[in-house]
Amino acid sequence: MSDEFVPRERDEFRVQRRFIKSPDTKARDEIVSKTQAEIKQKDMQLAEITAQLNKAVTDPKVAAERKTLIAELGELKKTQADLKTKRNTVNSRIKEIDSSLKRKISEIQNVTSKYSFKSVDDIDNKIKRSEDEIASGDLALVEERRLVKEISSLRKLRKDFASLDAQQKSIDNDKQKIADLKKELSTFNSKEVSAKFEEVQKKLDELSLSNKSVNDKRTSLIQKRSALFKEKDALYATLKKTREEFDQQFKAFKKAMADEKKRVAEEEKKLRADKAKSERKSKLEKELAEASKPAFEEEIDSIHTLLAFFDPTYVKPSKTIEFNKSTFVSERKGRVISLDDDFEIIKKPDDVFIAGSKTNGAGKKNKKASKAKFTMEPEVISQLGDLDIALPTSREDTPKTIESLKAKLEEYTASQEATTKKNIEAAKAKIAKMEADWAKQDAKEAEAAAAAAAKAEGESTEAAKETADQE
C-alpha cells in the first residue's frame, strides 16, 4: 500500500477558518455574582433600617394630642380664610358704592357750580326777596322790569334744581350704606382667631420639641435608607450595563462567526468553481486536441505494424517499426470471429509469431501436424478484425492479406485530412454547446445564490428589528 496521502474532495476545498475569540463568560459571571452579593447585602441593611423605623415611633398619647391640635389648627386656618373672604367681599362692596357716590356728587357739582345757589330753598328765598322789593313800590320802572325778568329766570332754574333732590337723596343713601358696611366690617375681627391659632401652633411646637429625639432618629434612618436605595440603584445599573455589554459582545461574536462562515463558504465555493472551470477548460482542450489528431492515426499505425508483421521486408515510412506485444493491444473491443476447426490459436513468446519446423526428435514426430496448421498471435487476429480484413487461414493467404492492408491504408490516407477537419468542426460545435450549457448553469446558480443572500439579509434585518423592539 502506498504511503502517499491523497486528500479527499472535501479536504481539497477546505479553507482554514480564522480564530474568533468569544466573550469572556467567566468574567461576566464574576461581576454579576459580585454585584448580586452586594445587592443582597444592601437588602439586608434596608431590612434592618425598616425594623428600626418600626420601633422608633411616637408615644400614642402624644400622637393623639398632636393629631387633635393639627385638626384644630386646620379649622382655625379655615376660619381665617372665611373671615378674609368676607372682609374682601365687604371691602369690594364699599369700594363699589364709594365709586358710585363720587360720580353722583360730581354730577351735582357740575350743575351747581354755574350758579351761586346750592339748593331750591336758596332760589325760593331769592325769588321772595325780589318780589318784596317790587311790592314796596320804591323801585324805578327799569329796575322793576329787571327784577321781574330775573324772577322768571329763577323760576326756570328752580325746576332744574328740583331734579337734583332725588340725586341728593341717592347720595345720602350711599353714604348710609357705606357706614353700615364699615360697621359690619368691624365685626369680622380675626384677632381672636389669630391668637387662638398662635396658641395651638405653640402647643404643637412644644410637642415636636418633646418628641425631637424620636424625630431626629427617624430622620437619620430615613436618610440612611434613601442613601441605600441610591446605592442599590447604582448596583442594578452596573448589573444591567454588564449584561448589556456582554450581550453586545456576544452579538458581535455571533456576527463575526457568521461572517467568517460566510467568507469560508464563499472561498470554498470559489475554489470549487475554479476547479470546475479548470476541469471544463481541460475537457474542452482535450476535446479539441483529440479532434485535432489526424484521423485514422491508430488504424494507420496498426496497418503499418501488420504489414511489417506479414512482410518482413516492409519498412514504415520515416519510422522504424519495432514489433512488440503491446503494439497490438487495442482499447476497442474487437469483433468476435468464428474460425475453422483446424485453425488453432496458441500463445507463444512475444518474439515468435509464425511457427516453423523443428529438427529435434519431437519436431520430426509432429512435422506433419505443423505443416497442416497456420497459427497467429491473438493480438494480430484482433487488429485484423478491427480493420475488417479477412484472416489468412494459411501462409498462402498472406499476400492477399497484405494487399487488403495496403488498400485499407490508401483509403485511410486519402480521407484522413477531410475527416480530421470534419472531426475538428464537430468538436468545436460540441464545445460551443457545452459552453452554452455551462453558462446557463452558472447563471441559474448565480440567481439562486442572489435569492438566498437576499432572503438571509431580510431575515437578519427582521431579527434586528425584533431585537430593537424588545429592547
Side-chain angles (χ1 to χ4, degrees), residues 103-130:
R103 179 177 55 77
K104 292 175 182 178
I105 292 173
S106 176
E107 290 175 355
I108 291 175
Q109 287 177 348
N110 288 336
V111 176
T112 59
S113 62
K114 299 177 183 178
Y115 308 100
S116 58
F117 306 106
K118 301 298 181 184
S119 63
V120 175
D121 292 339
D122 291 343
I123 294 173
D124 289 340
N125 292 332
K126 177 62 178 175
I127 291 172
K128 189 173 182 309
R129 285 196 300 273
S130 296

Short mmCIF file of all heavy atoms in Angstrom, two decimals, residues 103-130:
data_model
loop_
_atom_site.label_atom_id
_atom_site.label_comp_id
_atom_site.label_asym_id
_atom_site.label_seq_id
_atom_site.Cartn_x
_atom_site.Cartn_y
_atom_site.Cartn_z
N ARG A 103 -69.28 109.65 41.79
CA ARG A 103 -69.82 110.01 40.47
C ARG A 103 -71.06 110.90 40.61
O ARG A 103 -71.20 111.90 39.90
CB ARG A 103 -70.15 108.72 39.71
CG ARG A 103 -70.73 108.98 38.34
CD ARG A 103 -70.97 107.66 37.63
NE ARG A 103 -71.79 106.76 38.41
CZ ARG A 103 -73.11 106.85 38.53
NH1 ARG A 103 -73.77 107.85 37.95
NH2 ARG A 103 -73.79 105.98 39.26
N LYS A 104 -71.95 110.55 41.56
CA LYS A 104 -73.18 111.34 41.77
C LYS A 104 -72.87 112.74 42.29
O LYS A 104 -73.46 113.73 41.83
CB LYS A 104 -74.10 110.62 42.75
CG LYS A 104 -74.67 109.33 42.20
CD LYS A 104 -75.48 108.59 43.27
CE LYS A 104 -76.01 107.26 42.73
NZ LYS A 104 -76.75 106.51 43.77
N ILE A 105 -71.95 112.84 43.21
CA ILE A 105 -71.55 114.16 43.75
C ILE A 105 -70.96 115.01 42.64
O ILE A 105 -71.23 116.22 42.55
CB ILE A 105 -70.55 113.98 44.90
CG1 ILE A 105 -71.26 113.34 46.10
CG2 ILE A 105 -69.94 115.31 45.30
CD1 ILE A 105 -70.32 112.97 47.23
N SER A 106 -70.20 114.41 41.76
CA SER A 106 -69.59 115.14 40.65
C SER A 106 -70.65 115.68 39.72
O SER A 106 -70.54 116.81 39.21
CB SER A 106 -68.63 114.23 39.90
OG SER A 106 -68.10 114.86 38.79
N GLU A 107 -71.70 114.90 39.49
CA GLU A 107 -72.79 115.36 38.62
C GLU A 107 -73.50 116.57 39.23
O GLU A 107 -73.83 117.53 38.51
CB GLU A 107 -73.78 114.22 38.39
CG GLU A 107 -73.22 113.10 37.53
CD GLU A 107 -74.19 111.93 37.43
OE1 GLU A 107 -75.25 111.99 38.10
OE2 GLU A 107 -73.88 110.96 36.68
N ILE A 108 -73.78 116.54 40.55
CA ILE A 108 -74.44 117.68 41.22
C ILE A 108 -73.56 118.92 41.17
O ILE A 108 -74.03 120.04 40.91
CB ILE A 108 -74.80 117.31 42.67
CG1 ILE A 108 -75.91 116.25 42.68
CG2 ILE A 108 -75.25 118.55 43.45
CD1 ILE A 108 -76.25 115.75 44.06
N GLN A 109 -72.28 118.72 41.41
CA GLN A 109 -71.34 119.85 41.39
C GLN A 109 -71.25 120.49 40.02
O GLN A 109 -71.09 121.70 39.90
CB GLN A 109 -69.96 119.39 41.85
CG GLN A 109 -69.89 119.12 43.35
CD GLN A 109 -68.53 118.59 43.77
OE1 GLN A 109 -67.72 118.23 42.90
NE2 GLN A 109 -68.31 118.53 45.10
N ASN A 110 -71.36 119.68 38.98
CA ASN A 110 -71.32 120.24 37.62
C ASN A 110 -72.51 121.17 37.36
O ASN A 110 -72.39 122.13 36.60
CB ASN A 110 -71.34 119.11 36.59
CG ASN A 110 -70.03 118.36 36.55
OD1 ASN A 110 -68.98 118.92 36.93
ND2 ASN A 110 -70.07 117.10 36.11
N VAL A 111 -73.66 120.86 38.01
CA VAL A 111 -74.85 121.69 37.82
C VAL A 111 -74.80 122.95 38.70
O VAL A 111 -75.05 124.07 38.25
CB VAL A 111 -76.13 120.89 38.13
CG1 VAL A 111 -77.37 121.77 38.04
CG2 VAL A 111 -76.24 119.72 37.15
N THR A 112 -74.45 122.81 39.99
CA THR A 112 -74.49 123.92 40.95
C THR A 112 -73.32 124.86 40.83
O THR A 112 -73.37 126.01 41.32
CB THR A 112 -74.54 123.35 42.38
OG1 THR A 112 -73.38 122.53 42.60
CG2 THR A 112 -75.80 122.52 42.58
N SER A 113 -72.24 124.40 40.20
CA SER A 113 -71.05 125.26 40.13
C SER A 113 -71.27 126.49 39.25
O SER A 113 -70.55 127.49 39.35
CB SER A 113 -69.87 124.45 39.60
OG SER A 113 -70.14 124.00 38.28
N LYS A 114 -72.28 126.44 38.36
CA LYS A 114 -72.55 127.57 37.46
C LYS A 114 -73.30 128.70 38.16
O LYS A 114 -73.37 129.82 37.66
CB LYS A 114 -73.36 127.09 36.27
CG LYS A 114 -72.65 126.02 35.44
CD LYS A 114 -73.56 125.54 34.32
CE LYS A 114 -72.92 124.43 33.51
NZ LYS A 114 -73.82 123.93 32.45
N TYR A 115 -73.93 128.39 39.28
CA TYR A 115 -74.77 129.37 39.99
C TYR A 115 -74.31 129.50 41.44
O TYR A 115 -73.55 128.66 41.94
CB TYR A 115 -76.25 128.94 39.96
CG TYR A 115 -76.73 128.63 38.54
CD1 TYR A 115 -76.82 127.31 38.09
CD2 TYR A 115 -77.11 129.67 37.68
CE1 TYR A 115 -77.27 127.03 36.81
CE2 TYR A 115 -77.55 129.38 36.39
CZ TYR A 115 -77.62 128.06 35.95
OH TYR A 115 -78.04 127.77 34.70
N SER A 116 -74.83 130.55 42.08
CA SER A 116 -74.47 130.79 43.49
C SER A 116 -75.44 130.11 44.45
O SER A 116 -75.31 130.24 45.66
CB SER A 116 -74.47 132.30 43.78
OG SER A 116 -75.77 132.87 43.50
N PHE A 117 -76.41 129.39 43.87
CA PHE A 117 -77.39 128.70 44.69
C PHE A 117 -76.94 127.26 44.92
O PHE A 117 -76.36 126.63 44.03
CB PHE A 117 -78.77 128.71 44.00
CG PHE A 117 -79.23 130.09 43.62
CD1 PHE A 117 -79.23 130.52 42.31
CD2 PHE A 117 -79.68 130.96 44.63
CE1 PHE A 117 -79.65 131.79 41.98
CE2 PHE A 117 -80.11 132.25 44.29
CZ PHE A 117 -80.08 132.67 42.96
N LYS A 118 -77.26 126.78 46.09
CA LYS A 118 -76.88 125.42 46.44
C LYS A 118 -78.07 124.49 46.48
O LYS A 118 -77.90 123.27 46.42
CB LYS A 118 -76.19 125.40 47.81
CG LYS A 118 -74.93 126.26 47.87
CD LYS A 118 -73.86 125.76 46.89
CE LYS A 118 -72.59 126.60 46.96
NZ LYS A 118 -71.60 126.16 45.95
N SER A 119 -79.30 125.12 46.63
CA SER A 119 -80.49 124.28 46.73
C SER A 119 -81.71 125.06 46.25
O SER A 119 -81.64 126.27 45.95
CB SER A 119 -80.71 123.84 48.18
OG SER A 119 -80.94 124.98 49.00
N VAL A 120 -82.87 124.39 46.24
CA VAL A 120 -84.13 125.02 45.83
C VAL A 120 -84.53 126.09 46.83
O VAL A 120 -85.09 127.15 46.46
CB VAL A 120 -85.22 123.94 45.71
CG1 VAL A 120 -86.59 124.59 45.41
CG2 VAL A 120 -84.86 122.94 44.62
N ASP A 121 -84.25 125.88 48.10
CA ASP A 121 -84.60 126.86 49.13
C ASP A 121 -83.88 128.17 48.89
O ASP A 121 -84.47 129.28 49.09
CB ASP A 121 -84.25 126.32 50.51
CG ASP A 121 -85.12 125.15 50.90
OD1 ASP A 121 -86.22 125.00 50.31
OD2 ASP A 121 -84.69 124.33 51.76
N ASP A 122 -82.61 128.04 48.48
CA ASP A 122 -81.87 129.28 48.20
C ASP A 122 -82.53 130.06 47.07
O ASP A 122 -82.64 131.31 47.11
CB ASP A 122 -80.43 128.95 47.81
CG ASP A 122 -79.63 128.41 48.98
OD1 ASP A 122 -80.06 128.58 50.13
OD2 ASP A 122 -78.56 127.76 48.74
N ILE A 123 -83.04 129.36 46.05
CA ILE A 123 -83.69 130.02 44.91
C ILE A 123 -85.01 130.63 45.37
O ILE A 123 -85.37 131.78 44.99
CB ILE A 123 -83.91 129.01 43.76
CG1 ILE A 123 -82.56 128.55 43.20
CG2 ILE A 123 -84.77 129.65 42.65
CD1 ILE A 123 -82.67 127.44 42.19
N ASP A 124 -85.77 129.88 46.18
CA ASP A 124 -87.06 130.40 46.68
C ASP A 124 -86.84 131.66 47.51
O ASP A 124 -87.61 132.64 47.39
CB ASP A 124 -87.77 129.35 47.52
CG ASP A 124 -88.30 128.19 46.66
OD1 ASP A 124 -88.44 128.39 45.45
OD2 ASP A 124 -88.55 127.09 47.23
N ASN A 125 -85.86 131.68 48.33
CA ASN A 125 -85.55 132.86 49.15
C ASN A 125 -85.22 134.06 48.28
O ASN A 125 -85.65 135.21 48.55
CB ASN A 125 -84.40 132.57 50.10
CG ASN A 125 -84.79 131.57 51.18
OD1 ASN A 125 -85.98 131.49 51.54
ND2 ASN A 125 -83.83 130.81 51.69
N LYS A 126 -84.46 133.81 47.20
CA LYS A 126 -84.08 134.90 46.29
C LYS A 126 -85.32 135.44 45.57
O LYS A 126 -85.49 136.67 45.42
CB LYS A 126 -83.04 134.37 45.29
CG LYS A 126 -82.60 135.39 44.25
CD LYS A 126 -81.91 136.60 44.89
CE LYS A 126 -81.43 137.58 43.82
NZ LYS A 126 -80.88 138.79 44.40
N ILE A 127 -86.22 134.54 45.14
CA ILE A 127 -87.44 134.98 44.45
C ILE A 127 -88.30 135.82 45.40
O ILE A 127 -88.85 136.87 45.00
CB ILE A 127 -88.23 133.77 43.94
CG1 ILE A 127 -87.48 133.09 42.79
CG2 ILE A 127 -89.64 134.17 43.47
CD1 ILE A 127 -88.09 131.78 42.36
N LYS A 128 -88.40 135.37 46.65
CA LYS A 128 -89.23 136.09 47.64
C LYS A 128 -88.68 137.48 47.89
O LYS A 128 -89.44 138.47 47.98
CB LYS A 128 -89.29 135.29 48.94
CG LYS A 128 -90.31 135.84 49.95
CD LYS A 128 -90.42 134.90 51.12
CE LYS A 128 -91.48 135.43 52.11
NZ LYS A 128 -91.32 136.83 52.51
N ARG A 129 -87.39 137.63 47.96
CA ARG A 129 -86.79 138.95 48.21
C ARG A 129 -87.04 139.89 47.04
O ARG A 129 -87.33 141.11 47.24
CB ARG A 129 -85.28 138.80 48.45
CG ARG A 129 -84.93 138.23 49.83
CD ARG A 129 -83.49 138.48 50.17
NE ARG A 129 -82.54 137.88 49.23
CZ ARG A 129 -82.08 136.64 49.31
NH1 ARG A 129 -82.48 135.87 50.32
NH2 ARG A 129 -81.25 136.20 48.41
N SER A 130 -86.95 139.32 45.85
CA SER A 130 -87.18 140.17 44.66
C SER A 130 -88.64 140.61 44.59
O SER A 130 -88.95 141.79 44.25
CB SER A 130 -86.83 139.40 43.40
OG SER A 130 -85.44 139.10 43.38
#
